[in-house]
Amino acid sequence: MNDLENLDRPRTPAGPGVEARQKARVGEAHGGAAEGEAAAPGRDAVGTPVAHRGAADPVKALMHRHRELCERAVDPLEIAAGLEAHGVTDRTAARFRHRDVFSLAEEMYARVPRDGDPSRRPTPTTGTRPRADWIVRTLLPGTLCAATLAGLHLTHGRARLVLAAVGTLAVALALRAALSRGPLSTNRTPPGPHPAPGARTWTCWLVAYAVLGDGLLQAAASGGPDGLPTGAADSPWPLTTAPLLALTLACAPAAWSAQLFAARARHKLTASRGLEEFAASVRPLLLGTFTLFLAALTGLLALSAATVDDPAAPFQTLTLGALLFLARLLTIHGFTYAPAVLLTATATAEATALATLFAGRLPHCDVLATPAQTLLDTWGPGSIPTLACGAAALALLLHAFRRLTRASAHGRTDGPS
């Protein structure tokens, strides 16, 4: 930030006899100058250039450098967030004669000409109150999933296959609707932070593995599978439906948690007077939001396991839910790269475990299956997704503590909901 720090710094005269001349000028000022006589523009009584206004105004130069940010800002907080995103810190703000970035942003916002345009004035935030439309959208995936699972227990043969296909499509469309608008939508952030297509693909893989993965892993270890999954309890390739039901039902608490975090962080951004103060206040908020979601998911998982009479698989479901929640929370605040990378790495790890078990059947390739087989024999089939999702979720949590505690992550959260 050398270019920002060196913008039009005020210079003091230097050279022989300067001190004597300054004293003489001070004497003139105190001794009574002639009426109508004034100091030269841009200089104080002793001739030192004044850097608050005019050509030697560092704030004006900074405003020119970030002219687009200042013109489109609807409040000083947006300018503060944008400055921080460009690397301006409280220490840099001191170079512009301000105690922190927020104070500097307030002056920049006040000095931007707006010609009385009401659309440029600050608008109050919407608060934490949920809206009926996105509440319905977030409840829809879990409701449709529960209805589909209930139908699968009541049907057989071809009717079960048709119902499974229709139910899967309906749940997928409901999830898309829940993620397209509302607190889980990327429309609430500045243009651009849309998840990569690969991230969506691997997310679908992770959810499908939660349903089919353990059964396929056990079948592969025992020489199978001998057929496609049928959904029956005695199927050679059993399904695990409790995690799927819990995860779809968890869309609602995920949306509520994301809304709560965004609103509270915006409030703390308004109340804070420094970047470090804001970061320190948001860290416990982020941890509390994450804990609240995990608690809700735990309760929904217990309810789902009792409803469908399936194993709960708590560790792998909670780690997967934590991974998906943190990935979405980072994505809706504009940080898409790390979630995409870690989702891809997690899905690749699960796919690799399956592939090595099948590759170990080839002649002289049994050593390839040793790592996956060791995990299966020691901790069971759920250990592989638990370790993969748990490691990725921990990495995303640490990344979230670095990214979501910055003011620039909350500069514009009042988009369409």
Side-chain angles (χ1 to χ4, degrees), residues 56 71 102 149 151 156 168 193 203-204 217 227 247 304 306-307 326 345 353 391 400:
E71 289 176 350
F102 293 92
L149 293 178
H156 302 279
T168 300
T203 299
C204 294
L217 205 63
L247 290 172
S304 301
T307 301
L326 289 171

Side-chain angles (χ1 to χ4, degrees), residues 142 207 210 241-257 288-306 312-326 389 393:
V207 175
T241 56
L244 176 63
L245 180 57
L247 290 172
T248 53
L249 289 172
C251 284
W256 297 336
S257 299
T289 302
F290 179 64
T291 305
L292 180 65
F293 170 76
L294 286 184
L297 179 58
T298 302
L300 291 173
L301 181 59
L303 177 63
S304 301
F315 295 109
Q316 60 206 78
T317 305
L318 290 178
T319 52
L320 175 58
L323 173 61
L324 296 179
F325 175 71
L326 289 171
C389 295

Side-chain angles (χ1 to χ4, degrees), residues 182-404:
L184 298 179
S185 170
T186 55
N187 294 331
R188 296 170 62 83
T189 51
H194 298 288
R200 300 189 187 99
T201 302
W202 292 121
T203 299
C204 294
W205 165 275
L206 292 173
V207 175
Y209 188 94
V211 180
L212 304 168
D214 286 357
L216 179 58
L217 205 63
Q218 288 178 321
S222 59
D226 299 325
L228 295 176
T230 62
D234 56 349
S235 172
W237 183 355
L239 303 181
T240 308
T241 56
L244 176 63
L245 180 57
L247 290 172
T248 53
L249 289 172
C251 284
W256 297 336
S257 299
Q259 173 76 359
L260 175 65
F261 176 72
R264 295 301 299 168
R266 183 74 174 181
H267 174 74
K268 291 183 180 296
L269 183 62
T270 306
S272 298
R273 299 309 307 170
L275 300 178
E276 290 298 329
E277 178 186 345
F278 173 73
S281 64
V282 171
R283 290 188 190 103
L285 175 63
L286 175 60
L287 184 59
T289 302
F290 179 64
T291 305
L292 180 65
F293 170 76
L294 286 184
L297 179 58
T298 302
L300 291 173
L301 181 59
L303 177 63
S304 301
T307 301
V308 300
D309 196 21
D310 265 358
F315 295 109
Q316 60 206 78
T317 305
L318 290 178
T319 52
L320 175 58
L323 173 61
L324 296 179
F325 175 71
L326 289 171
R328 195 64 191 178
L329 193 63
L330 283 163
T331 299
I332 62 180
H333 284 88
F335 305 102
T336 61
Y337 179 75
V341 168
L342 287 171
L343 288 173
T344 303
T346 305
T348 302
E350 294 179 347
T352 301
L354 283 171
T356 55
L357 283 177
F358 287 107
R361 300 178 183 180
L362 299 174
H364 312 293
C365 293
D366 53 338
V367 67
L368 295 176
T370 301
Q373 190 66 52
T374 302
L375 289 174
L376 279 173
D377 296 339
T378 306
W379 292 307
S383 60
I384 293 176
T386 298
L387 291 174
C389 295
L394 179 60
L396 275 188
L397 182 61
L398 297 176
H399 186 68
F401 271 104
R402 292 181 60 248
R403 298 298 187 184
L404 297 183

Side-chain angles (χ1 to χ4, degrees), residues 169-192:
L169 179 61
V171 172
L173 293 176
L175 283 172
R176 182 172 183 177
L179 299 179
S180 63
R181 294 184 65 83
L184 298 179
S185 170
T186 55
N187 294 331
R188 296 170 62 83
T189 51

Side-chain angles (χ1 to χ4, degrees), residues 20-41:
R21 289 196 298 272
Q22 289 179 346
K23 289 181 178 179
R25 289 175 182 174
V26 171
E28 281 185 10
H30 287 286
E35 185 176 354
E37 185 180 359

